[in-house]
Amino acid sequence: MSTMESMGKKKPRPRRSFTPEFKAEIVELCRRGDRMIGQVAWDFDLTETAVRLWVNGARVDGGEKDGLTSAERDELARLRRENRRLREDVEVLKRATAFFAKETL
């Protein structure tokens, strides 16, 4: 790869995780209105998309905007996992029933 080709490609940023307290502070800075979301993101070396998601999530959790709250999203994810596990259990039982039905013939 030539130098010119490598100059156009950025290294992907390593995935970072943030505490709920940090996210709440960032959301509060954005809500104050003295800085735009893009400026807050730039100041804290965050992606604008992430900050915008945090702000919108806080608005939903606070009842200011329609949508699933964080608790509802967590419950939905838990129920989907449980549903998938139960479907797998049913599939195993169906196979076992078919296997033992053949054995008795």
Side-chain angles (χ1 to χ4, degrees), residues 27-38:
V27 168
E28 183 57 35
L29 285 173
C30 294
R31 284 187 171 179
R32 277 193 219 147
D34 50 331
R35 289 190 279 183
M36 303 284 288
I37 289 176

Side-chain angles (χ1 to χ4, degrees), residues 27 31 37 49-62 65-66 68 73:
V27 168
R31 284 187 171 179
I37 289 176
T49 304
V51 174
R52 201 169 297 282
L53 286 172
W54 297 347
V55 170
N56 286 334
R59 288 181 61 209
V60 169
D61 288 347
K65 184 177 175 183
D66 287 338
L68 292 177
R73 269 188 271 112

